[in-house]
Amino acid sequence: MASEDITKLAESLAKTKVGGGQLSFKGQSLKLNTAEDAEEVIKQIEEFDGLEALRLEGNTVGVEAAKVIAKALEKKSELKRCHWSDMFTGRLRSEIPPALISLGDALITAGAQLVELDLSDNAFGPDGVRGFEALLKSPACYTLQELKLNNCGMGIGGGKILAAALKECHRKSSAQGKPLALKIFVAGRNRLENDGATALAEAFGIIGTLEEVHMPQNGINHPGITALAQAFAINPLLKVINLNDNTFTEKGAVAMAETLKALRQIEVINFGDCLVRSKGAVAIADAVKEGLHKLKELNLSFCEIKRDAALTVAEAIEDKAELEKLDLNGNCLGEEGCEQLQEILEGFNMAAVLGSLSDDEGEEEDDEEEEEEDEEEEEEEEEEEEQQQLKERGQGEQESLTPKKIIDSQDSTPVPSPPVDVATFLAFPSPEKLLRLGPKCSVLIAQQTDTSDVEKVVTTLLRISSVFKDEAPVKTAVHETTDALMRKAFTSATFNSDAFITSLLIHMGLLKSEEKIKAVPSLYGILMTLNYMVQQDYFPKSLAPVLSAFVTKPNRALDSCSFARHMLLQTLHQL
């Protein structure tokens, strides 16, 4: 290590905060690659008597540095809180699991009894969960009360591994007479989807001691929401439920409303941007009206709730003396509805609790749009039920990201599926429809897409990528179909690559257009597809800097897909 680097490190460490059993290196941007780099950190850890909390957030720790830091932690039996979020900035995903394994093994060796483990913002993906799986199953976590894994890109596979580890921890700790009593669980922005959420719901139901659950932005639809609702019902101490930016629809909202009726300690309900719609909002209002006397915050913003349903929600909070905030912004009340809402609350002397209504969408004249959405919802539900039947018969898709899973290959009679053509898939894309197109799906879609029309190519690519999943069959189908379509487009003499990237950025909501073009609802699929596509020989390397520039810019939609964004930027940087 150069002398100037040592001086810089010493200056950073001089800012280290010590107190109350806590040693903090938070936000010092330390780059700890080797054992030598970590010498000063190790020294401070070793010299700290009674270490109860170690903060390593906002630094970057490599495999070798993690090993020597771990060695120092092997003697810290009093350690209770590990604040290790944002600790692997700039690291390859392959570096993170071994680093976590070293640190976890050290805590087990030390005989530590953790109360809090925070590994948020580390973008380690499903494989990263394997890195702390052994720790979670060990006596070091029998005492765990807070587990924070926000924005880690775990995916369905990681969610299942995590759920299994939590169940094993509960089983082992129960055998010791002190069952795991987890209170706070945080796992937002992880693309858990229905399967990951359902697996975790099973673990929650076994644990039964949760007080706060934060799982926003996970692509969970009503089957996953319903599973969570059933699990929450047997966690009577729940105070905070944050499922913001998932997709309840009426089915999920009704299931959650039934659970709320059974809970007595609820203080915060955050179902904003969850598409509960009017019927779901009325069901939730009924639950609020029947009980929830400790409720402090109710967020049903951006849920496509119409005036009458919103007024029903307002009427339901009449006797909620603890309420501090009601958020109904971004719904469909109209000017008159907003005024009526305020009048109702004024009548209760509760006008102050109402949040802004500045983003109200205005009152809709008819129910045509909602009827169309209901039809789409019914079709999706039928597909989900069919997929579940297939899984129950041992014919479901196997998780490619859980190598330890034993695949059940028992024979059973396959259930016939209705035929699907390219037009049907492109009109209402889903992973199941893409797979049902068969092995020639890539050729069929490419053949039926006019690649001289840039808009058609962009639209088709977005439809294909929207069904992306980390499961092997779906991911392979998406990649092969993308290859066939984009190879045909980019090798065509009439195809305008610059117009393509411009149109794609507009549809992704990353570039403004004079025309009103609705951005895709989620960027996860297209970002993961682009991460694959930019590495192929047909992709013009001249487009990489443009793509990189726009994906780097601050953007709320990109923030909600930080794992996919990080993957793409890392790939673009390496081109």
Side-chain angles (χ1 to χ4, degrees):
M1 184 184 258
S3 59
E4 58 267 25
D5 292 333
I6 295 172
T7 302
K8 186 177 178 181
L9 178 60
E11 289 173 354
S12 293
L13 292 172
K15 301 174 186 175
T16 300
K17 295 179 182 178
V18 178
Q22 174 176 284
L23 178 60
S24 176
F25 301 95
K26 182 179 179 180
Q28 294 183 19
S29 302
L30 302 175
K31 295 180 180 178
L32 308 178
N33 298 317
T34 65
E36 185 183 4
D37 294 340
E39 281 179 358
E40 286 295 326
V41 174
I42 294 164
K43 182 182 177 184
Q44 294 211 34
I45 291 173
E46 289 176 339
E47 293 177 354
F48 196 112
D49 291 329
L51 180 63
E52 294 184 6
L54 178 61
R55 307 196 77 106
L56 291 172
E57 312 104 304
N59 299 292
T60 178
V61 181
V63 176
E64 292 305 313
K67 284 181 181 178
V68 291
I69 291 172
K71 196 70 179 172
L73 290 175
E74 287 180 357
K75 298 177 182 178
K76 300 298 175 181
S77 61
E78 296 176 25
L79 188 61
K80 292 180 175 64
R81 298 184 182 274
C82 298
H83 302 279
W84 295 349
S85 63
D86 190 20
M87 199 173 76
F88 299 106
T89 304
R91 300 289 169 186
L92 295 174
R93 275 180 62 186
S94 58
E95 292 182 84
I96 301 175
L100 288 173
I101 288 169
S102 296
L103 294 167
D105 286 349
L107 298 177
I108 296 169
T109 301
Q113 293 186 314
L114 295 185
V115 173
E116 179 179 359
L117 177 61
D118 186 354
L119 292 170
S120 300
D121 302 314
N122 277 315
F124 45 57
D127 295 335
V129 185
R130 290 282 186 210
F132 60 94
E133 180 185 16
L135 173 63
L136 279 181
K137 293 178 180 180
S138 76
C141 284
Y142 290 178
T143 51
L144 195 64
Q145 295 180 16
E146 301 180 30
L147 179 58
K148 300 174 181 177
L149 299 165
N150 201 54
N151 193 28
C152 290
M154 290 189 290
I156 295 171
K160 288 183 175 181
I161 299 167
L162 175 62
L166 288 172
K167 288 191 288 185
E168 182 71 359
C169 180
H170 187 272
R171 185 187 67 79
K172 288 183 174 179
S173 58
S174 296
Q176 300 267 329
K178 293 182 179 179
L180 171 67
L182 191 66
K183 294 181 179 179
I184 298 174
F185 179 83
V186 182
R189 298 182 179 181
N190 271 293
R191 296 301 303 177
L192 294 169
E193 300 184 22
N194 289 332
D195 288 351
T198 300
L200 285 166
E202 187 178 338
F204 296 162
I206 292 170
I207 293 168
T209 56
L210 289 167
E211 295 180 12
E212 296 185 21
V213 175
H214 303 263
M215 296 173 66
Q217 296 181 350
N218 268 298
I220 309 169
N221 299 325
H222 79 80
I225 296 297
T226 300
L228 288 171
Q230 292 168 349
F232 293 165
I234 42 183
N235 280 266
L237 303 177
L238 265 175
K239 296 178 182 178
V240 178
I241 302 176
N242 176 8
L243 294 173
N244 189 287
D245 201 5
N246 288 290
T247 307
F248 281 43
T249 63
E250 182 187 344
K251 275 193 173 183
V254 169
M256 195 60 70
E258 286 302 309
T259 285
L260 291 175
K261 291 177 183 178
L263 299 174
R264 293 288 175 263
Q265 306 300 321
I266 289 290
E267 296 178 3
V268 177
I269 298 171
N270 186 345
F271 298 158
D273 205 8
C274 281
L275 202 65
V276 303
R277 296 206 179 112
S278 295
K279 290 178 182 177
V282 170
I284 292 168
D286 287 344
V288 171
K289 191 171 185 176
E290 285 185 21
L292 305 188
H293 295 293
K294 295 184 179 182
L295 189 64
K296 293 180 179 179
E297 181 178 337
L298 175 59
N299 184 346
L300 293 173
S301 60
F302 299 93
C303 281
E304 295 191 7
I305 301 169
K306 295 183 181 178
R307 179 180 62 178
D308 290 347
L311 299 181
T312 301
V313 172
E315 290 166 353
I317 66 166
E318 180 178 2
D319 63 344
K320 308 305 170 211
E322 302 287 322
L323 195 71
E324 298 171 0
K325 185 178 180 182
L326 172 64
D327 193 346
L328 288 168
N329 197 18
N331 287 299
C332 310
L333 282 67
E335 187 176 343
E336 185 179 344
C338 290
E339 290 174 0
Q340 289 176 319
L341 183 65
Q342 289 166 334
E343 286 172 7
I344 289 172
L345 294 174
E346 284 170 3
F348 304 153
N349 291 319
M350 297 179 72
V353 306
L354 183 63
S356 169
L357 297 172
S358 59
D359 292 320
D360 186 74
E361 296 287 340
E363 190 170 9
E364 294 179 3
E365 293 298 324
D366 53 53
D367 294 335
E368 186 177 331
E369 184 177 340
E370 187 163 341
E371 285 173 6
E372 289 177 2
E373 288 166 345
D374 287 342
E375 287 174 8
E376 288 179 25
E377 189 180 317
E378 286 174 12
E379 185 174 332
E380 287 170 6
E381 288 168 6
E382 287 172 5
E383 288 171 359
E384 285 162 0
E385 287 171 9
E386 181 182 309
Q387 185 182 15
Q388 185 61 34
Q389 288 173 353
L390 289 172
K391 287 183 179 180
E392 288 171 359
R393 289 169 171 78
Q395 298 296 316
E397 298 168 7
Q398 300 296 331
E399 272 290 334
S400 64
L401 297 172
T402 52
K404 291 185 180 179
K405 182 177 180 181
I406 300 172
I407 297 174
D408 181 7
S409 60
Q410 291 181 348
D411 189 29
S412 63
T413 305
V415 177
S417 300
V420 172
D421 57 21
V422 171
T424 303
F425 166 73
L426 293 177
F428 301 103
S430 73
E432 294 72 33
K433 285 178 187 165
L434 182 61
L435 293 175
R436 290 213 301 267
L437 280 172
K440 293 185 178 180
C441 64
S442 57
V443 177
L444 291 171
I445 291 175
Q447 283 177 346
Q448 295 185 39
T449 303
D450 180 5
T451 51
S452 65
D453 188 331
V454 166
E455 280 299 310
K456 284 185 179 177
V457 173
V458 169
T459 302
T460 303
L461 176 63
L462 289 169
R463 298 281 171 85
I464 295 166
S465 64
S466 70
V467 307
F468 179 90
K469 283 188 175 184
D470 284 320
E471 298 170 3
V474 178
K475 180 160 57 171
T476 300
V478 169
H479 286 174
E480 289 177 352
T481 310
T482 299
D483 281 341
L485 173 69
M486 298 315 302
R487 188 180 298 279
K488 178 184 175 185
F490 283 128
T491 55
S492 170
T494 59
F495 189 70
N496 189 328
S497 298
D498 293 333
F500 164 78
I501 200 70
T502 300
S503 176
L504 181 61
L505 291 168
I506 290 171
H507 282 275
M508 290 173 69
L510 306 182
L511 183 62
K512 289 184 179 180
S513 170
E514 292 180 2
E515 299 176 21
K516 275 194 173 183
I517 295 177
K518 189 176 181 180
V520 292
S522 171
L523 294 180
Y524 179 77
I526 185 61
L527 289 173
M528 294 300 286
T529 303
L530 283 170
N531 181 56
Y532 168 80
M533 193 173 92
V534 299
Q535 301 177 62
Q536 308 312 308
D537 57 5
Y538 57 75
F539 183 79
K541 297 300 181 277
S542 60
L543 299 182
V546 180
L547 190 56
S548 180
F550 280 92
V551 175
T552 305
K553 287 183 177 180
N555 182 283
R556 184 183 172 188
L558 286 170
D559 290 342
S560 67
C561 303
S562 56
F563 170 71
R565 178 192 206 176
H566 171 76
M567 292 286 290
L568 176 57
L569 287 174
Q570 191 174 52
T571 300
L572 289 168
H573 181 70
Q574 293 170 354
L575 290 178

